[in-house]
Amino acid sequence: MSYSLIIAETRKGEFQEGNFDPLYLSDIVGLPSYILLPEGEYGILRGSCDKVIVAPLKEGEFLNPLNIIRLLERTFQAFGEPSAILLPHCSFGIDVAPYVAGRLGWPIITDISGFCRGEEGEIFIKTLYSEKINGHFRLKEGMRFVGTVRKGVFPKVAEVVKETLFEEAPSIEKDPRRDFIEYIEEEIEDVDITKADLLVSVGRGVKEKGNIPLFEELAALLGGVLSCSRPVADRAWLPKARQVGTSGKTVRPKVYFALGISGAFQHIAGMKDSDVIIAVNKDPSAPIFQYAHYGVVEDMHRLAQKMIENLRDQK
Amino acid sequence: MEVVVLAKWVPTTQEEELKIIDEGRSVDLEEVPFRMNEWDTYAIEEAVRIVKEHGGVGWVISMGSEDADTALRRGIAMGLERGVLLETEEDLIDPFQRAFIFKNLLQKKGIKFDLLLTGGQAEDDEFASTGGVLAGLLEVPYASMVIGIEEISGGEITLLRELEGGLMERVKMALPAVVSIQTGINEPRYVSVTGVLSAAKKERDFLSAADFMEGAKGLLQLIRVEIPPPKEGAEIIGGDLDGKVSGILNILKEKGVYK
Amino acid sequence: MLGLLKREDLFACIQCGKCTGSCPEAGKTSLNIRVMVRKVLFGDWEDKEVPWFCSSCGACTIRCPRDIKPSEVVVGLRAQMVEEGEIPSSLYRALENTLVQKNPWGRSRNKRDAWTAEVGFEIPFIGEDTLETLLFTCCVQAYDPRCMVIPRNIAKVLHAAQVPFGILGRKEVCCGNEIRRVGEFGLFKQLMEENEANFERYQVSRIIALSPHCMNAFKNEYEGGDKKAVHYTQLLWELIQEGRLIFKGSYDKRVVYHDPCFLGKQNGIFDEPREVLKAIPGLQLMEFSRSRENSLCCEGGGGRMFLDVEMGERNGHKRVKEALALGAQVIATACPFCLLNLEDAAAVLDADIEVRDITEVLMEVL
Ligand SMILES: Cc1cc2nc3c(=O)[nH]c(=O)nc-3n(C[C@H](O)[C@H](O)[C@H](O)COP(=O)(O)OP(=O)(O)OC[C@H]3O[C@@H](n4cnc5c(N)ncnc54)[C@H](O)[C@@H]3O)c2cc1C
């Protein structure tokens, strides 16, 4: 029986949460799941997949499409050809999946967010046009494809407890044409709010300059960047370069976390295309709730305080 | 340096209420204005800067209806020299197929490149795949979501890839290579309407995609499109303060911005 | 090289400084328009920031004794930067948006008629029944929820006064007034041609402009030299004089009128808005110390709706403070940009004063 091969991501040695979605998708499709990983300890995977295949590669060598393709060739020889190669949809997945698809001559579907099986066969769902449309895709030549899977969309199939075998992948000669050099943390000083993945954005609800450090700390603990609405920049509580809106910057972070911002037209125009908007406002009728994906009716200071406590505890 | 950019002319659907036609098979884009895929403007800007620094020729190549010529004109107005349009009225959504057609074009027309740039993804289908598949087909090195090109010398390129949560990785690759560009790598220059009009006078190649289909079969079929159930306003995260805090943290984790 | 101006035109400048003297941005920003004209004349203007500080109020050009048109020098410098592609990112967005969606905010062109939903009656498309009066919405009033009341109010007034009119709906495109002032002449021309083609196609004989900026573009800048355009305050005054508006209540408030630059100083429409306000029963009209030709610009023109610049106090704040000092309860104006800027200032200052468009005041008593 064929299987699905999940190429998993680790960062700085840490197994990433997003790897579970390809794993669960594989269970839903009904294929045995083999997980391919760089050197490391993966006891946590016991019971959740059929094989853990550890490659004799360091993380930096493994997270590299050129080495992965060589590894795949050897893995296929050792374990047979899979019907699906699945990866998390993330900076690693989209680096590797298309390249692998090109080399193998297999079809590719990225950012899979749904699956169903019916009269038309196996259907993979992927959103199109900024999530406004769900596209139903079918493989023309049957189950043999490369896919990346969206994070947090596939639930665990409850009963599945597996006998997990731990194996070594065959060694490969590394491709000299692409080399990992090092990780770099983006500098938080001199921020460019248009580049941040997470913006913690404060509005006039922040009340006074003395409250800014609280939200600075919250942003720092979350690994995000602090931005603001115009009144906050106008009062020079934050620099002009942090202002979001028609007369400030247009931003499109993965998450826009707005606290104490009412949702004026000029502000919305600068952030409406963010992937996810979370708004905190004490007024349940604040217009921003019409644009936000998630809303929290709460005092922003109380909430920030509590979040900071939680985050500190976790550290 | 020969630098090629693949640029896509895409519908601006962010603000539209889309309608489904064709018995559920396609989206009505009749009334939707098109524009250059945003990621591609960054790729073009980067190409213009590279050619300026290292000399050589910059190309912009697009595939689509004849309207996609505007993508070529904008690329040329920004500073690239050559434009090629692969004309097709077909909606070729399979990125594998698209990449194969581009591969055929490059090989049949003898277009050699040191660096081929694409945008990180296209706004319409968000496959983020054409460049990577093409690199695989051509067996040249590939890196995606590049947020900085630090050095190009001695047949090598050093670049920064954007990862999650404020992390980047520095990578070195041999040329020729394919690189997909993330927004924010530079500040694209504005292209004036007059600039685009005068770019229309520059020579461009108009070819038919049908002539480059050899071996480029579609492996993926879009059999149906659906409008997801509408979302009325925000989903309110209620509960006590602790519940609200963990609700927010869960969303941040799910989106991969906080670990 | 300088938009519509040639460098030779500047030789007539006598450096008298009237331009700087009347400039609402002088002193508070580093824009010194007299120095700019001088430097441009000698070909040594390099700065890429200062030209964006001008809010296109036009005071310099009106005051200039030698007809130099300093405000056009600014537009010329901007045009150069536009052609070189080097413009502030927020203006980049506004221009791109206007190219794609035909409005600077990038809202869907297909929603340009969304404001009509709440008027309570069908507003016909201008092409139907050979309607000749066009209500031109203008971008900000088509999309900003705060300003949508203005076209709604005027539509209601016209409906009640039985004036047949139509709209261009989704066919309408930005008038281009600010686009031209930002220096994007190519885009301005494109917009103008599209609007003019529609005016001709639907045989429009009268255009009611809701924004003074649109009116200015139609009257003074469209090649067709559209003399058909009127501002809505002119129309209202006409209707009042003809006795076609019946007032039902009284508006017992002290109201100070703020002259929009593109209505007042640039197009000489000072009296109609005041007459409309005076006709409203109970309303007590007040005047700013700087009014009519000397009105203080709200800083919404010339692209400044899309660009914040480093400066001292916003003029809107000065205006609100003066209105408070006068004892006014309401600041009334007749331009959406002024409305937004003054209302924003009042909110920031937590000032106990209302900011209203004239139509909003009028609707209280109709
Ligand atoms: C020409 C022009 C350009 C402009 N450009 C921009 C721009 O680029 N960017 C921009 O942001 N604005 C811009 N504005 C201003 C814009 O119109 C709004 O005034 C501004 O966005 C409002 O900012 P805000 O939401 O922070 O403040 P407010 O509208 O005052 O909202 C504050 C919100 O905080 C909430 N709140 C208060 N206390 C708390 C608390 N303790 N906990 C939780 N919630 C609380 C309130 O309920 C309220 O909803 C512009 C305006 C003009 C006229």
Side-chain angles (χ1 to χ4, degrees), chain C residues 157-195:
Chain C
V157 168
L158 291 172
H159 191 67
Q162 296 183 328
V163 179
F165 73 101
I167 56 170
L168 275 168
R170 299 170 188 195
K171 290 214 157 113
E172 184 181 293
V173 301
C174 173
C175 69
N177 195 65
E178 301 328 286
I179 303 304
R180 183 190 171 283
R181 274 162 185 77
V182 167
E184 207 342 345
F185 281 89
L187 181 54
F188 171 70
K189 185 155 174 275
Q190 218 176 58
L191 297 167
M192 174 180 74
E193 285 169 358
E194 194 163 343
N195 274 327

Side-chain angles (χ1 to χ4, degrees), chain B residues 120-193:
Chain B
Q121 61 178 25
E123 287 168 57
D124 51 358
D125 59 41
E126 297 182 351
F127 263 108
S129 298
T130 305
V133 175
L134 180 59
L137 292 170
L138 295 170
E139 297 195 24
V140 299
Y142 175 60
S144 66
M145 289 293 160
V146 167
I147 191 74
I149 293 183
E150 297 187 317
E151 203 188 332
I152 302 176
S153 69
E156 283 188 327
I157 181 166
T158 309
L159 42 84
L160 296 176
R161 290 191 61 235
E162 186 182 65
L163 312 175
E164 283 76 16
L167 199 64
M168 296 188 287
E169 69 174 324
R170 181 171 284 136
V171 168
K172 192 177 253 187
M173 290 202 304
L175 299 178
V178 176
V179 163
S180 93
I181 298 291
Q182 173 64 312
T183 55
I185 188 173
N186 51 42
E187 266 190 49
R189 67 201 65 201
Y190 178 73
V191 202
S192 72
V193 167

Side-chain angles (χ1 to χ4, degrees), chain A residues 203-204 229-230 243-245 247 260 262 266-267 281 299-300, chain C residues 344:
Chain A
R204 191 150 57 204
S229 66
R230 190 167 87 164
Q243 178 184 323
V244 173
S247 58
S262 63
Q266 291 86 357
H267 189 83
N281 201 299
D299 180 281
M300 62 189 281
Chain C
D344 194 62

Side-chain angles (χ1 to χ4, degrees), chain C residues 35 53 108 114 117 151 256 292 314 321 340 352:
Chain C
V35 172
F53 295 173
S108 165
V256 61
R292 302 179 74 94
R314 286 184 197 282
K321 285 181 188 165
L340 289 172
D352 186 18

Side-chain angles (χ1 to χ4, degrees), chain A residues 202-207 228-232 243-249 259-268 280-283 286-288 298-301, chain C residues 299-300 304-308 314 337 339-342 344 347-348:
Chain A
V202 292
R204 191 150 57 204
V206 73
K207 290 267 162 8
C228 64
S229 66
R230 190 167 87 164
V232 175
Q243 178 184 323
V244 173
T246 49
S247 58
K249 300 232 163 90
L259 302 111
I261 294 177
S262 63
F265 175 77
Q266 291 86 357
H267 189 83
I268 297 294
V280 178
N281 201 299
K282 64 175 185 189
D283 172 8
I288 192 156
E298 184 56 77
D299 180 281
M300 62 189 281
H301 306 280
Chain C
E299 305 176 309
R304 286 281 297 275
M305 286 303 280
F306 315 104
L307 183 74
D308 274 334
R314 286 184 197 282
F337 292 172
L339 179 73
L340 289 172
N341 276 321
L342 295 172
D344 194 62
V348 170

Side-chain angles (χ1 to χ4, degrees), chain C residues 68-335:
Chain C
I68 296 292
K69 300 193 175 63
S71 54
E72 287 295 309
V73 173
V74 172
V75 174
L77 288 172
R78 291 174 173 185
Q80 271 173 19
M81 289 187 274
V82 164
E83 294 312 322
E84 286 158 12
E86 279 183 63
I87 58 174
S89 65
S90 57
L91 288 172
Y92 178 114
R93 294 265 156 214
L95 293 177
E96 280 280 318
N97 287 338
T98 309
L99 179 72
V100 175
Q101 297 285 15
K102 310 303 171 195
N103 71 85
W105 290 278
R107 310 312 293 264
S108 165
R109 182 176 188 178
N110 294 321
K111 296 185 183 158
R112 200 171 175 104
D113 54 2
W115 64 271
T116 60
E118 280 172 37
V119 285
F121 50 88
E122 214 37 59
I123 300 180
F125 180 71
I126 186 77
E128 289 166 28
D129 300 335
T130 59
L131 294 157
E132 286 159 13
T133 299
L134 169 69
L135 180 63
F136 193 90
T137 317
C138 158
C139 305
V140 66
Q141 284 154 157
Y143 296 106
D144 187 334
R146 172 64 186 93
C147 297
M148 280 185 190
V149 298
I150 302 168
R152 285 185 191 136
N153 287 346
I154 289 294
K156 285 177 192 161
V157 168
L158 291 172
H159 191 67
Q162 296 183 328
V163 179
F165 73 101
I167 56 170
L168 275 168
R170 299 170 188 195
K171 290 214 157 113
E172 184 181 293
V173 301
C174 173
C175 69
N177 195 65
E178 301 328 286
I179 303 304
R180 183 190 171 283
R181 274 162 185 77
V182 167
E184 207 342 345
F185 281 89
L187 181 54
F188 171 70
K189 185 155 174 275
Q190 218 176 58
L191 297 167
M192 174 180 74
E193 285 169 358
E194 194 163 343
N195 274 327
E196 283 195 325
N198 279 329
F199 298 162
E200 188 155 324
R201 177 135 172 245
Y202 300 113
Q203 297 170 18
V204 172
S205 59
R206 191 174 206 206
I207 306 167
I208 303 165
L210 297 179
S211 167
H213 295 252
C214 306
M215 182 197 68
N216 180 73
F218 301 150
K219 273 174 80 160
N220 305 325
E221 268 140 26
Y222 274 31
E223 270 164 17
D226 242 291
K227 304 289 183 247
K228 306 177 278 225
V230 295
H231 184 252
Y232 81 77
T233 52
Q234 295 175 290
L235 172 89
L236 288 178
W237 180 227
E238 244 176 63
L239 293 176
I240 289 171
Q241 283 174 304
E242 290 166 10
R244 292 167 75 179
L245 295 185
I246 318 290
F247 299 116
K248 290 202 188 94
S250 115
Y251 190 81
D252 301 314
K253 287 186 178 165
R254 293 182 298 279
V255 177
V256 61
Y257 174 66
H258 166 85
D259 286 281
C261 298
F262 276 88
L263 189 63
K265 48 173 93 73
Q266 298 200 36
N267 283 291
I269 300 172
F270 299 112
D271 296 326
E272 290 88 336
R274 288 181 169 77
E275 293 301 338
V276 173
L277 288 170
K278 280 195 271 183
I280 292 172
L283 186 148
Q284 188 187 331
L285 185 65
M286 309 177 90
E287 290 288 346
F288 280 112
S289 61
R290 293 185 66 173
S291 74
R292 302 179 74 94
E293 290 86 349
N294 298 320
S295 175
L296 183 63
C297 174
C298 80
E299 305 176 309
R304 286 281 297 275
M305 286 303 280
F306 315 104
L307 183 74
D308 274 334
V309 305
E310 293 289 342
M311 61 174 167
E313 191 179 27
R314 286 184 197 282
N315 287 345
H317 293 209
K318 292 187 193 160
R319 243 9 201 177
V320 168
K321 285 181 188 165
E322 189 186 347
L324 286 173
L326 283 171
Q329 294 161 296
V330 178
I331 304 176
T333 189
C335 166

Side-chain angles (χ1 to χ4, degrees), chain A residues 100-173:
Chain A
V100 163
R103 287 290 297 266
L104 297 175
W106 291 13
I108 178 164
I109 317 174
T110 52
D111 200 16
I112 297 169
S113 58
F115 173 79
C116 54
R117 196 177 261 136
E119 275 167 32
E120 293 153 314
E122 278 138 342
I123 304 293
F124 292 92
I125 299 170
K126 162 182 173 50
T127 62
L128 304 169
Y129 304 111
S130 2
E131 320 241 325
K132 296 205 155 168
I133 297 287
N134 284 338
H136 292 223
F137 288 90
R138 185 169 60 191
L139 298 161
K140 275 193 183 165
E141 300 180 348
M143 233 349 175
R144 199 178 70 157
F145 79 112
V146 184
T148 66
V149 185
R150 182 176 291 191
K151 191 170 171 181
V153 293
F154 289 107
K156 185 174 167 55
V157 180
E159 306 91 84
V160 184
V161 178
K162 296 182 171 177
E163 187 97 12
T164 306
L165 291 178
F166 284 75
E167 312 245 12
E168 277 259 339
S171 65
I172 56 155
E173 199 180 311

